[in-house]
Amino acid sequence: MPLVLMALDDTLLDRSGAFMLWAKDFLDEIGAPPEDLEWLLSVDADGLTPRWDLADLIRDRYELAIPSIDIVEELRGGPLGYERLDPLVGCALKIAGDAGFVPVVVTNGPSEIQEGRIRRTGLDQFVADWVISEEAGVSKPNPRIFAMAAQRVRMRLGGAWVVGDSPEADIGGAAAMGLPSVWLHRGREWMDDRFAPTRVVGNVIQGLSAIMAAPR
């Protein structure tokens, strides 16, 4: 049974899409021009910008009178209300599971938030288990977190695949362990010359298809 170690953000769940929908409504609510959406998406940097730093940028740009902590709470919770599991992703995971593959989520982030997303969207029904960096005490790309994921489902890392959109956290982690990987390019070009993904695809459904079609 091949193990498939899968990222959460912008892999199994469309974090960027949910953030964009929230951002549109947020900017409208504070009276910002619609063209500022591009600025907000840019400074968010796919969620890599610390929430406190992003809150300060928003507060300063729009001269908001509310405390930064209120903006931080909105940044953390607001986009979650727009997040849904794509039924086609759920279907692809079920097909993979029926074919003998074992999908396990490996994600960086706060345990309460990440596990809440997995359960609230119903993703928990389609994966065997999950490991979250805050609880694990180690983050991707450190191989230890992937090893912990394998242990959670009582499987060995040998023969596993790693799937994700992050060149460093996902593909770099796979390279460090000598595992095959699938990179979700999301319209980007591969730029890292230290290592490379085994497969490059546009989305997680194509990624699962590529894994199932690969020789075992």
Side-chain angles (χ1 to χ4, degrees):
M1 295 191 299
L3 178 63
V4 186
L5 304 167
M6 311 188 73
L8 182 65
D9 293 312
D10 289 320
T11 297
L12 290 168
L13 294 179
D14 184 11
R15 185 265 170 200
S16 294
F19 185 86
M20 182 174 67
L21 291 173
W22 167 83
K24 288 179 179 178
D25 287 348
F26 174 77
L27 292 174
D28 183 61
E29 183 179 337
I30 65 174
E35 53 267 26
D36 276 17
L37 177 62
E38 184 176 345
W39 171 82
L40 185 50
L41 296 179
S42 175
V43 295
D44 172 63
D46 275 346
L48 295 178
T49 302
R51 300 300 86 178
W52 279 99
D53 292 347
L54 182 56
D56 288 340
L57 288 170
I58 293 171
R59 190 171 184 268
D60 292 345
R61 182 181 179 91
Y62 300 109
E63 300 180 346
L64 300 178
I66 59 177
S68 290
I69 189 171
D70 291 345
I71 303 176
V72 169
E73 290 304 312
E74 178 64 19
L75 285 167
R76 287 175 175 166
L80 301 182
Y82 296 81
E83 196 168 58
R84 303 287 185 273
L85 174 65
D86 185 339
L88 294 178
V89 172
C91 183
L93 286 167
K94 186 176 187 310
I95 291 171
D98 290 345
F101 291 83
V102 181
V104 178
V105 179
V106 184
T107 180
N108 291 343
S111 298
E112 183 178 355
I113 291 176
Q114 299 297 71
E115 182 167 350
R117 295 168 65 203
I118 291 169
R119 294 189 182 278
R120 185 177 55 255
T121 59
L123 178 60
D124 60 321
Q125 301 175 38
F126 299 97
V127 297
D129 211 329
W130 52 85
V131 175
I132 303 169
S133 64
E134 183 181 68
E135 180 183 359
V138 63
S139 302
K140 298 188 294 184
N142 192 312
R144 286 175 52 206
I145 193 170
F146 295 100
M148 292 174 69
Q151 291 170 3
R152 289 288 287 268
V153 290
R154 295 177 172 84
M155 295 182 66
R156 298 180 62 181
L157 271 177
W161 284 77
V162 177
V163 181
D165 77 303
S166 170
E168 184 69 28
D170 300 314
I171 311 308
M177 297 179 289
L179 296 178
S181 59
V182 176
W183 182 54
L184 308 165
H185 62 72
R186 297 174 51 218
R188 301 166 295 172
E189 295 289 334
W190 183 262
M191 303 295 291
D192 202 318
D193 58 6
R194 296 173 299 167
F195 46 79
T198 309
R199 300 281 190 277
V200 177
V201 299
N203 57 58
V204 69
I205 297 173
Q206 295 171 354
L208 287 169
S209 297
I211 291 173
M212 289 189 284
R216 299 196 193 182

